[in-house]
Amino acid sequence: MAHGKHQILLTGFEPFGEDSVNPSWEIARALDGAIIEGAIVRSVRLPCVFGDSIAALDRAIAETGPMLIVCLGYAANRSDITPERVGINIDDARIPDNAGNRPIDAPVLADGPPAYFCTLPIKAMTQAMRDAGVAASVSNTAGTFVCNHICYAVMDRLAKGAARKDARGGFIHVPPLPGQASRARDASAMELGEQVKGIRAAIAAAMTTRDDLRLSAGQIS
């Protein structure tokens, strides 16, 4: 386990599907080594593979001993940065992962609870990104692919004491980069610099906010 300066573990995924880049990793590696609210960011790239991604996460947690874990993932159909509220105990893949796995209605962890709520202050983080001029909103579903797989797993690890006793964590989905979105989705793209700015603001808010803001972020559907 790393010693000395407080550590923030920031993860992103390798490219998957038809994409040659993954914005989540581009953001994470841009922030690697950054000092945010007195803590240093350590960025790790996860494989977009069920199971293997959790093993890589476990190694990263053991190596960094983080006080904060922020996992990033790419959502092609989103137009803003979306901190997730909850991860569910289901793997249900619409497409195969990078190893060809395509689980259907399988649990992330066979002995785990149905869901875990993220412990990041998601509303304060969303507000901080908006205050920085970056489009953001709270999300109530992390999907059922490898992103949700990791969202659920990181909260399981924190619940079971794999990191520092006071550590908090969660998951954030990010939108496409310009040129990555299809012609039909061009409006949803966000420049890398803008996304890096937003995630930096979100992490700063997570570092300085213990009790989340009580703002409406509910959705009708």
Side-chain angles (χ1 to χ4, degrees), residues 32-160:
D32 187 37
I35 306 296
I36 302 178
E37 297 297 332
I40 187 167
V41 175
R42 297 301 186 194
S43 298
V44 173
R45 190 171 84 158
L46 303 180
C48 189
V49 178
F50 290 100
D52 289 358
S53 54
I54 296 179
L57 174 69
D58 287 341
R59 290 192 296 271
I61 292 173
E63 290 169 3
T64 59
M67 63 185 302
L68 191 73
I69 304 174
V70 179
C71 298
L72 305 179
Y74 165 48
N77 61 347
R78 301 195 188 183
S79 58
D80 58 354
I81 298 176
T82 51
E84 297 293 344
R85 192 190 295 263
V86 62
I88 60 174
N89 195 13
I90 285 290
D91 290 334
D92 193 2
R94 180 178 57 82
I95 61 173
D97 68 12
N98 282 355
N101 303 307
R102 193 180 177 188
I104 297 175
D105 296 338
V108 178
L109 298 172
D111 60 348
Y116 281 113
F117 283 101
C118 296
T119 51
L120 297 176
I122 58 174
K123 293 184 177 180
M125 294 165 75
T126 298
Q127 187 62 54
M129 287 189 278
R130 290 175 174 172
D131 289 347
V134 179
S137 62
V138 169
S139 170
N140 294 303
T141 175
T144 56
F145 195 52
V146 187
C147 286
N148 175 76
H149 186 76
I150 282 295
C151 180
Y152 183 90
V154 71
M155 299 318 303
D156 177 79
R157 278 18 185 190
L158 289 174
K160 293 176 179 175

Side-chain angles (χ1 to χ4, degrees), residues 179-188:
Q180 182 178 29
S182 70
R183 185 173 298 276
R185 297 198 305 263
D186 280 347
S188 67

Side-chain angles (χ1 to χ4, degrees), residues 174-199:
V174 299
L177 298 171
Q180 182 178 29
S182 70
R183 185 173 298 276
R185 297 198 305 263
D186 280 347
S188 67
M190 184 184 292
E191 295 283 353
L192 177 60
E194 193 79 353
Q195 297 205 46
V196 171
K197 179 182 177 183
I199 296 301

